[in-house]
Amino acid sequence: MRKFEKRAACANAFCVLNIHKFDPALEKAVLFVVGNTLVCDDLKEAKVLSWTGERFKVVTVDGILLSKSGTMTGGTSGGMEARSNKWDDKKIEGLKKKKEQFEVELEELGSIREMQLKESETSGRNSGLEKKIQYGDIEKKSIEDKLKSLKQEKKNIKDRIGHIIPEVQKLKDATDKRNKDITKLEKRINEIVDRLFKSFSQSVGVANIGEYKENQLKAAQNMAEERLSLSNQLAKLKYQLEYERKRDVESRIMKLESSISSLENDLKLVHKKEAEVKLATEKASEDVNRWKEEVKEWKFKLEECEKEIQAWKKQASDAATSISKLNRQINSKETQINHLDDRKVEIIEKCDLEHVELPLVADAMETDSSNGKEFDFSQLNRSLLHDRRPSDREKIEADFKQKIDALVSEIESTAPNLKALDQYKTLQVKEKDVTEEFELARKEEKQVADAYNSVKQRRYELFMEAFNHISSNIARIYKQLTKSGTHPLGGTAYLNLENEDDPFLHGIKYTAMPPTKRFRDMEQLSGGEKTVAALALLFSIHSYRPSPFFILDEVDAALDNLNVAKVAGFIRSKSCDGARASQDSEGSSGFQSIVISLKDSFYHKAEALVGVYRDSDKG
């Protein structure tokens, strides 16, 4: 009734505004601008008229316009400014601070719906605990009664045990006696049975029939154990076969085949390059080996030449030694001759002084002497010449000259090949060039392999950096999306690599366990649980490489009201002004989001709303 009165008052205000006259030429323009717009005094009445029940286009006297779609734009009338002058600025600042405190407390407390849910959960838990206490008291009384009866029964049993012990002792004695008799009888029975089955035991190859029975029993037990193990293995294989049939292996096989084909192509290219390098290397090695063989041949020839040269040098040194020795002998003989000549001159001078005539040769011109006189020593007394020997100097000199000429001619005829060293140096240069080409080919191959390995290692490091960051954040984000008052710890989610050494050959397994749920495969989760897991993965990937903003199109379609509230609260906490101004405690940055949703429990937490609807007037 009250709402009806307000609407009637607003309708009257609208009628009053229409009474004012205006130029008839502007009638269509005024009607187009104003239309069916209601005018209210304040924003509170405008919200009631615009957002409850049938929607209207409402404007306040302050100039605030509320459209049918729910958007609200401020006016410029100045009425609010006039009223604001009534308040003190300090009081306004204090009220603003209180408002901010209340907003913070309100955000910490959460929505009324969440508080009601928490209150209902707490009351339910309290009632459950009270009932448990009542049941515990009843159970305590029954246990005390049972304890009293058990104590009495224990006392009676002790009395009966005291009476029964002597009888038990008698029975034990009788039992021992009978056991002895039974053992004797069993021994006699075994002897009789052994005598009866003696021939059978000998034919079978056992000592007695008891041993045969034991062997048969062991064989039967072994057969039963083998049969049991085979049945267990068969059951395991059946379960494994069913599990493998249910798994989606074809897609993984296709992925593996594609990756294997790409790797095979890469491997073929590498093998091709390696074959080319090997061919070049083999060719270079063949040339090197050929040049080495030639170098060995030339070295062998050079060694032979050097040996011959050494032999001739040795002969020349021996000849030079002998020549020097003979020269020394010649010098000594010449010294002796000079001494004798001096002595001869002294004797001749002495003979001249003493007027001693010496015999001369008849024809002095036939002899070649230094002073023109030649003495005839044959006429002298032999006693004077007993210590003199004939001079063989000329003969010796002729022999020595002949030998020296022969040795010089031999040395000249045995001249070595002086081009051998130049040829050897040329071969060394060729060998060095081939070795350098081979080393360059090896270095090029090593550089290509190192570049490939560095790119592969860099790819692996980048992937592992992203994977480690995402896997470390996904558990925390999933807990925030799934925790509640009844389950404060939330759920569990983690990522696993199927091949940690080479992750690109296999996939990544994502496991999510909602609260109070056991481990299940991702395909066995419900639609809402899959949605929450997918959002957790999306936000964890965003934490590694943040996006400017998100566009989420009806992500709450498969969620119930409780999960919708959790997801909306998480997005609100990450996209509000406080989260954008300062990063949260975990170090992840906030983000902006545009959410398309049809659930009021989701979009009532938004900072701004844009409604899209069908205009029935325009069709």
Side-chain angles (χ1 to χ4, degrees):
M1 189 67 186
R2 192 173 180 182
K3 289 181 180 179
F4 180 76
E5 290 175 358
K6 287 181 178 179
R7 288 186 182 180
C10 290
N12 291 330
F14 174 69
C15 294
V16 170
L17 286 174
N18 281 333
I19 289 171
H20 294 286
K21 293 181 180 181
F22 50 83
D23 191 354
L26 303 174
E27 182 177 0
K28 291 183 179 181
V30 172
L31 290 175
F32 178 77
V33 173
V34 178
N36 296 327
T37 304
L38 299 178
V39 181
C40 297
D41 291 332
D42 54 6
L43 183 61
K44 186 176 181 182
E45 291 180 357
K47 287 182 179 179
V48 172
L49 288 173
S50 180
W51 292 349
T52 59
E54 186 180 356
R55 294 191 176 227
F56 296 98
K57 187 176 181 182
V58 184
V59 64
T60 64
V61 295
D62 297 330
I64 300 172
L65 177 65
L66 282 77
S67 63
K68 290 182 180 181
S69 61
T71 59
M72 183 172 62
T73 58
T76 58
S77 63
M80 296 292 290
E81 294 178 359
R83 281 201 292 266
S84 64
N85 293 327
K86 298 178 181 179
W87 302 95
D88 190 6
D89 292 337
K90 292 183 180 179
K91 289 183 179 180
I92 291 170
E93 291 295 329
L95 292 172
K96 284 183 179 179
K97 289 181 181 179
K98 285 184 179 180
K99 178 189 173 185
E100 291 176 356
Q101 291 177 359
F102 291 150
E103 285 179 352
V104 172
E105 291 177 359
L106 185 61
E107 286 182 358
E108 291 177 355
L109 292 174
S111 63
I112 298 171
R113 185 181 181 84
E114 290 180 355
M115 294 296 292
Q116 289 176 354
L117 289 172
K118 289 181 181 178
E119 186 178 357
S120 61
E121 289 174 359
T122 307
S123 62
R125 288 167 65 187
N126 290 333
S127 60
L129 291 172
E130 288 175 357
K131 288 181 181 178
K132 285 183 181 179
I133 290 168
Q134 292 177 1
Y135 293 150
D137 292 335
I138 295 168
E139 191 174 358
K140 181 181 177 183
K141 289 180 181 179
S142 63
I143 289 169
E144 288 177 353
D145 296 335
K146 287 181 182 178
L147 187 61
K148 289 180 182 178
S149 61
L150 289 172
K151 285 181 179 179
Q152 186 64 34
E153 190 174 355
K154 180 181 177 183
K155 186 177 180 182
N156 296 330
I157 289 168
K158 284 183 178 179
D159 295 336
R160 289 179 64 187
I161 288 169
H163 294 298
I164 290 168
I165 286 172
E167 296 178 1
V168 170
Q169 189 64 36
K170 290 179 182 179
L171 291 172
K172 279 185 179 180
D173 296 336
T175 304
D176 294 336
K177 187 177 180 181
R178 287 187 180 183
N179 286 330
K180 290 179 181 178
D181 296 336
I182 288 166
T183 52
K184 289 179 181 179
L185 292 171
E186 285 179 352
K187 190 174 181 181
R188 288 183 63 191
I189 289 166
N190 290 329
E191 291 175 355
I192 293 166
V193 170
D194 291 338
R195 270 189 266 126
L196 290 173
F197 292 98
K198 186 175 181 182
S199 60
F200 176 75
S201 300
Q202 290 177 356
S203 63
V204 175
V206 295
N208 50 35
I209 194 67
E211 186 177 353
Y212 177 74
K213 288 180 180 179
E214 288 179 359
N215 293 333
Q216 290 294 324
L217 182 61
K218 288 181 180 178
Q221 288 178 354
N222 292 330
M223 288 291 291
E225 290 177 357
E226 289 180 359
R227 192 179 291 110
L228 181 61
S229 65
L230 289 173
S231 63
N232 291 331
Q233 290 180 3
L234 183 61
K236 288 180 181 178
L237 290 173
K238 285 181 180 179
Y239 292 145
Q240 190 173 1
L241 182 61
E242 291 178 359
Y243 175 71
E244 293 294 335
R245 284 176 179 174
K246 289 179 181 179
R247 288 177 64 188
D248 186 11
V249 183
E250 293 181 357
S251 61
R252 292 180 63 191
I253 290 171
M254 291 176 68
K255 290 180 182 178
L256 290 173
E257 287 178 352
S258 63
S259 62
I260 287 168
S261 63
S262 63
L263 289 172
E264 284 178 352
N265 293 327
D266 296 337
L267 187 63
K268 286 179 181 178
L269 293 174
V270 173
H271 283 317
K272 188 176 179 181
K273 290 182 180 179
E274 187 177 1
E276 292 175 356
V277 174
K278 280 185 178 178
L279 288 173
T281 306
E282 288 176 357
K283 188 175 179 182
S285 62
E286 288 176 359
D287 294 336
V288 169
N289 292 327
R290 183 164 55 81
W291 290 115
K292 283 183 178 178
E293 289 177 357
E294 292 182 1
V295 168
K296 286 181 180 177
E297 292 177 359
W298 287 108
K299 281 183 178 179
F300 181 72
K301 291 180 180 179
L302 182 64
E303 288 176 356
E304 290 180 350
C305 293
E306 286 179 352
K307 287 180 180 178
E308 291 179 357
I309 290 167
Q310 291 294 330
W312 287 112
K313 283 182 178 180
K314 188 175 181 182
Q315 290 180 4
S317 64
D318 293 338
T321 303
S322 61
I323 288 167
S324 62
K325 187 176 180 181
L326 291 172
N327 286 326
R328 286 196 299 273
Q329 290 178 0
I330 290 167
N331 291 327
S332 64
K333 292 297 182 181
E334 287 178 351
T335 304
Q336 290 178 2
I337 289 167
N338 293 325
H339 182 68
L340 291 173
D341 288 337
D342 294 335
R343 182 74 180 273
K344 178 183 175 183
V345 171
E346 289 177 358
I347 292 170
I348 291 170
E349 289 178 354
K350 189 175 179 181
C351 290
D352 289 337
L353 290 173
E354 293 178 358
H355 301 283
V356 177
E357 294 182 357
L358 295 174
L360 298 172
V361 179
D363 191 359
M365 298 299 291
E366 294 179 357
T367 60
D368 188 10
S369 61
S370 60
N371 53 7
K373 292 180 180 181
E374 183 66 26
F375 297 99
D376 187 5
F377 294 101
S378 61
Q379 295 181 8
L380 294 175
N381 190 3
R382 301 298 299 174
S383 62
L384 298 173
L385 300 172
H386 70 278
D387 56 346
R388 302 289 191 272
R389 289 183 297 175
S391 175
D392 297 328
R393 181 174 61 80
E394 293 179 357
K395 186 179 180 180
I396 292 169
E397 285 180 357
D399 292 336
F400 281 138
K401 284 181 180 180
Q402 188 178 1
K403 288 181 181 181
I404 288 167
D405 294 335
L407 291 173
V408 170
S409 63
E410 285 180 1
I411 290 168
E412 290 178 354
S413 63
T414 58
N417 187 9
L418 300 176
K419 294 182 180 180
L421 291 173
D422 297 332
Q423 293 175 355
Y424 175 69
K425 289 179 181 179
T426 306
L427 291 175
Q428 280 184 338
V429 171
K430 289 183 179 180
E431 182 187 5
K432 185 178 180 182
D433 294 336
V434 173
T435 306
E436 287 177 355
E437 290 178 0
F438 177 70
E439 290 296 330
L440 287 174
R442 283 182 59 187
K443 287 180 180 178
E444 186 177 358
E445 181 188 5
K446 187 174 182 300
Q447 288 175 359
V448 172
D450 292 338
Y452 174 76
N453 292 327
S454 64
V455 171
K456 188 176 179 181
Q457 183 65 23
R458 179 61 178 165
R459 181 182 68 167
Y460 175 79
E461 290 174 355
L462 291 174
F463 175 79
M464 290 305 297
E465 181 183 359
F467 177 79
N468 292 329
H469 180 85
I470 293 167
S471 61
S472 62
N473 286 332
I474 194 167
R476 176 177 55 79
I477 294 172
Y478 188 77
K479 287 181 186 294
Q480 292 180 4
L481 290 173
T482 55
K483 67 181 180 180
S484 62
T486 54
H487 307 293
L489 296 177
T492 304
Y494 53 89
L495 297 173
N496 283 332
L497 288 174
E498 294 181 357
N499 188 351
E500 293 183 357
D501 296 330
D502 197 349
F504 297 100
L505 295 178
H506 297 83
I508 300 171
K509 189 172 183 181
Y510 180 26
T511 305
M513 287 186 289
T516 69
K517 297 289 183 71
R518 61 182 179 83
F519 175 80
R520 289 182 183 176
D521 196 14
M522 187 65 75
E523 296 176 357
Q524 297 178 356
L525 298 177
S526 64
E529 291 170 346
K530 288 180 181 178
T531 300
V532 174
L535 288 173
L537 181 60
L538 173 66
F539 294 138
S540 60
I541 293 172
H542 159 77
S543 66
Y544 179 66
R545 291 288 175 85
S547 302
F549 59 90
F550 281 110
I551 299 177
L552 304 175
D553 187 7
E554 293 187 8
V555 294
D556 56 350
L559 300 177
D560 56 4
N561 293 329
L562 184 59
N563 285 324
V564 167
K566 292 176 183 176
V567 173
F570 179 83
I571 295 174
R572 173 72 178 179
S573 65
K574 296 294 181 182
S575 60
C576 61
D577 293 332
R580 285 200 301 269
S582 61
Q583 294 183 348
D584 56 5
S585 60
E586 289 83 7
S588 61
S589 60
F591 53 81
Q592 303 178 59
S593 60
I594 299 172
V595 182
I596 300 169
S597 176
L598 300 177
K599 296 184 179 180
D600 57 351
S601 59
F602 197 108
Y603 60 74
H604 87 279
K605 292 189 177 182
E607 291 181 333
L609 292 175
V610 177
V612 179
Y613 68 98
R614 182 183 179 88
D615 193 352
S616 59
D617 297 334
K618 295 182 179 180

